[in-house]
Amino acid sequence: MGETTDEATGGPATDPGELLERSLAYALGSVAGVETAGLRRGTPCADWDLGRLLGHLDDSLDALYEGLTGGAIGPFPGAGEFSGAACGFRRRACAVLGAWAAGPPDRVLIGERPLDIRVVAAVGAVEIAVHGWDVARACGQIRPLPVPLAAELLPVARSVVADEDRGVRFAAPVTVPESARADERLLAFLGRRATEAG
């Protein structure tokens, strides 16, 4: 039997709440390895040090929670500084999952644009998982993205990242063989090399 596709996300017909949960679990493992003394170290996100990347992750969780509980997400703030610890990130992650379990609205306003909640959750899962990989790499951890998770996130990323996003929100894609593992292809599509040192 062939893989079924979710028309809303462009990816496999997986529960977006499950994708969020798996992405958050992976990112939590990465954030747990952060030592606040090293927040100035570089990351695979060229313009952000580790502190700014973690601040952006916190902002992303806050925005997801806002959408899941209030049905709207305001303009995204710039990446702030990360001043908390792994326990703060864990609290935010649990709040997001709790909001999903409580029954989010069908649609969320992003500015003036309504989006299907499944799209919002799936895109959030991509962002959280890939930035979780960035955090691990910045901290010198070897934590490959789980291949089954990456395989489900890759079509989502391909459906939402357009050419005009390159050089603004995303780096140019990196060429890898189609035979590469799904985690390598996902990272490459988003401008990262899975084997590159942080």
Side-chain angles (χ1 to χ4, degrees):
M1 176 180 285
E3 182 183 76
T4 58
T5 299
D6 186 310
E7 293 178 8
T9 64
T14 299
D15 174 7
E18 181 189 331
L19 284 181
L20 260 181
E21 184 171 1
R22 290 159 59 200
S23 293
L24 283 165
Y26 171 78
L28 280 164
S30 298
V31 172
V34 171
E35 297 178 9
T36 55
L39 294 182
R40 296 291 169 225
R41 69 183 78 180
T43 74
C45 303
D47 295 333
W48 290 347
D49 63 19
L50 183 57
R52 286 178 59 80
L53 174 60
L54 289 163
H56 173 71
L57 257 177
D58 276 351
D59 290 342
S60 296
L61 289 186
D62 287 343
L64 266 175
Y65 182 78
E66 182 182 341
L68 292 172
T69 57
I73 298 174
F76 283 97
E81 288 294 327
F82 177 74
S83 57
C87 59
F89 186 83
R90 183 175 298 279
R91 279 195 300 274
R92 286 181 175 85
C94 289
V96 165
L97 293 176
W100 181 271
D106 291 336
R107 300 183 82 70
V108 174
L109 280 176
I110 311 288
E112 299 297 319
R113 181 180 178 196
L115 282 181
D116 187 299
I117 189 62
R118 295 172 297 166
V119 174
V120 174
V123 171
V126 171
E127 169 128 344
I128 290 161
V130 173
H131 282 323
W133 181 87
D134 292 334
V135 169
R137 182 51 51 96
C139 294
Q141 303 175 45
I142 299 176
R143 298 193 76 243
L145 276 164
V147 172
L149 174 61
E152 293 178 78
L153 296 178
L154 179 56
V156 177
R158 285 180 170 161
S159 72
V160 297
V161 177
D163 288 342
E164 55 267 27
D165 293 319
R166 303 295 183 176
V168 181
R169 296 171 51 223
F170 299 95
V174 172
T175 302
V176 293
E178 268 305 310
S179 60
R181 293 190 324 258
D183 60 319
E184 296 172 334
R185 285 183 284 129
L186 174 62
L187 292 168
F189 180 73
L190 297 175
R192 295 153 168 87
R193 291 188 186 277
T195 58
E196 199 170 60

